[in-house]
Amino acid sequence: MDTFAVFGNPIEHSQSPYIHSLFSAETGIFHPYGRILAPVNDFEILLKQFFDKGGLGANITLPFKERAYLFCNQHTERSSFIGAINTIKKQPNGILLGDNTDGIGLLSDLQRLSLLRHNSHVLLVGAGGAARGVIASLLSYGCKLVLTNRNFLRAQKLVEVFYHLGNICALPLDHLMYPEYDLIINATSIGLQGNIPPILPESLITPSIGCYDMFYQKDDDTPFLSWCRRQGAYRCSDGLGMLVGQAAHSFYLWHGVLPSILSVLKTFQKEKAI
Ligand code: NDP
């Protein structure tokens, strides 16, 4: 039996089993890791069965992160701010600990790419689970954060949750021109929907701006990054580094060893070049 697994719906596209097999090979730690498609109504039942039968750790993805938070008996401090988790560890006493490694995964990738400074002015587009998972990390790094979203009320609600942690406000999509931003992060799911019309004003993209899409697709630029490049941006990156980073920090929670993010990214790059 796999003692580690990712739960989601859909799940067949997930790169997590592959990433974790690379971590296992690099560290020499036995780490059998599978993927489990959870029917929406049976998520908690499947998760309970998994841990009852000897599961030691789980990753949780769309659309179950909030429900997984409620399922756990205990939470790390960073995940309790967020109210959603992507990692569960079964502790030796049987208690299930929930954590959220999305924020640290994003932060470490932005640092690797030199896209972030301590006082960066960041525009975060989106107010779903992914945005929620990274706001506390960006604020704790010292960023000034503007949140925007199609459903503006959702953005305002997120600001209310996090305003005590730092400099954060919400602006509607048609009020974004000033001030200029150092970095735009796409945390919407528009990439999953293909080439839909862009939702941001073109004039936001200055030559020096950084553009980061949390979405990742294997063979091509994401629709958001293609649009940014067409407006003249050249400091662009997709969310693969975040994906590997959050996985590495899950691995760390389970085994106490942080695997190399860079060596996994190199493996992906080599495969892309073939
Ligand atoms: P959610 O479903 O929770 O949120 C979706 C967000 O996208 C909402 O803000 C929604 O706006 C917005 N949105 C959806 N369709 C449109 C549209 N047509 N036009 C404008 N806005 C739209 O998804 P998540 O937050 O969980 O995931 C968002 C993205 O982040 C996904 O692409 C996911 O793959 C990626 N992600 C990447 C990770 C990584 O490690 N690289 C980790 C986690 C997520 P509204 O509120 O108005 O509906």
Side-chain angles (χ1 to χ4, degrees), residues 146-210:
V146 173
L147 205 57
T148 193
N149 192 46
R150 178 176 63 178
N151 176 344
F152 184 57
L153 192 63
R154 270 184 104 184
Q156 286 177 307
K157 283 193 174 155
L158 272 193
V159 169
E160 279 168 26
V161 173
F162 290 102
Y163 80 94
H164 65 288
L165 294 181
N167 190 333
I168 180 169
C169 68
L171 283 177
L173 280 164
D174 53 1
H175 282 62
L176 293 176
M177 279 321 301
Y178 299 102
E180 283 189 359
Y181 301 96
D182 301 307
L183 174 66
I184 300 183
I185 300 174
N186 177 33
T188 73
S189 55
I190 53 178
L192 289 164
Q193 300 156 26
N195 281 299
I196 65 155
I199 55 170
L200 298 172
E202 291 175 6
S203 45
L204 268 186
I205 308 295
T206 60
S208 60
I209 201 164

Side-chain angles (χ1 to χ4, degrees), residues 56-133:
L56 297 175
N59 281 131
I60 311 296
T61 187
L62 264 163
F64 299 122
K65 289 182 181 181
E66 284 87 1
R67 281 166 63 181
Y69 180 88
L70 297 175
F71 183 83
C72 288
N73 320 103
Q74 206 180 339
H75 305 95
T76 59
E77 192 184 350
R78 64 186 172 195
S79 74
S80 58
F81 279 130
I82 299 165
I85 58 160
N86 71 342
T87 309
I88 303 176
K89 175 180 180 165
K90 185 170 185 179
Q91 300 175 106
N93 59 5
I95 287 184
L96 297 177
L97 174 69
D99 192 12
N100 194 315
T101 63
D102 283 341
I104 192 164
L106 174 68
L107 213 56
S108 64
D109 201 36
L110 293 174
Q111 288 170 306
R112 174 185 72 87
L113 296 160
S114 302
L115 284 178
L116 202 65
R117 297 187 312 275
H118 286 292
N119 58 353
S120 288
H121 211 135
V122 179
L123 176 64
L124 183 61
V125 188
R132 195 182 180 97

Side-chain angles (χ1 to χ4, degrees), residues 16-25 31 33 59 247 250-251 254:
S16 294
Y18 180 51
I19 292 170
H20 280 276
S21 72
L22 295 175
F23 290 160
S24 175
H31 182 65
Y33 186 112
N59 281 131
S250 295
F251 191 94
W254 295 324

